Amino acid sequence: MRKNLIRSLTIVFLLIFILSSFINAASLTDEKKNLRFIGASPGGTYFIVLGGLSETLQKEVPNWSVTVEPGSTLSDVIRVAMGDGDLALAQHTAVLDA
C-alpha cells in the first residue's frame, strides 16, 4: 500500500514538473505549437491523465494546440521514438521492452 502511494506521488510530481517546463518554455516564445500526446486505451488511467494535462496546457498557453491520441502501452513508446508523437505515458517495463 505504501509503495503504491509513493509511486503515485512520484508520478504526480513528475507530471507537474513536465507541465511547468512546457509552460515556462511557452512563455519565452509566441510561436504556435502542435503537441501530440499518445495515451493508452480510451477510458484508461493514462488517457485520462494526458487529457487533463492537455486541457491545462491549452488554458495556460493560448498558442498551443494539444491533442491526445489513443494507443497501446508498447506502441506508444515506439510511436514517440519514431517521431509520431511528442509525449506518451507508459509503465517502465513497457519502455524497457520497447
Side-chain angles (χ1 to χ4, degrees):
M1 176 79 174
R2 190 166 179 89
K3 284 185 180 182
N4 289 337
L5 177 64
I6 292 172
R7 286 182 189 160
S8 299
L9 288 175
T10 303
I11 290 171
V12 168
F13 286 125
L14 285 174
L15 287 175
I16 289 171
F17 175 74
I18 291 170
L19 180 62
S20 66
S21 299
F22 280 135
I23 292 172
N24 286 337
S27 65
L28 298 175
T29 181
D30 289 334
E31 112 183 32
K32 293 189 175 211
K33 296 202 182 260
N34 295 323
L35 293 177
R36 291 175 52 200
F37 292 162
I38 302 173
S41 61
T45 305
Y46 291 168
F47 195 79
I48 294 169
V49 169
L50 284 177
L53 184 63
S54 70
E55 285 181 22
T56 304
L57 277 173
Q58 286 182 333
K59 287 179 185 176
E60 295 295 325
V61 187
N63 292 334
W64 284 17
S65 171
V66 183
T67 58
V68 178
E69 299 177 6
S72 66
T73 303
L74 187 58
S75 71
D76 296 348
V77 176
I78 294 169
R79 287 174 60 189
V80 169
M82 293 175 51
D84 191 28
D86 298 310
L87 177 73
L89 290 180
Q91 295 176 343
H92 72 283
T93 54
V95 173
L96 292 174
D97 289 344

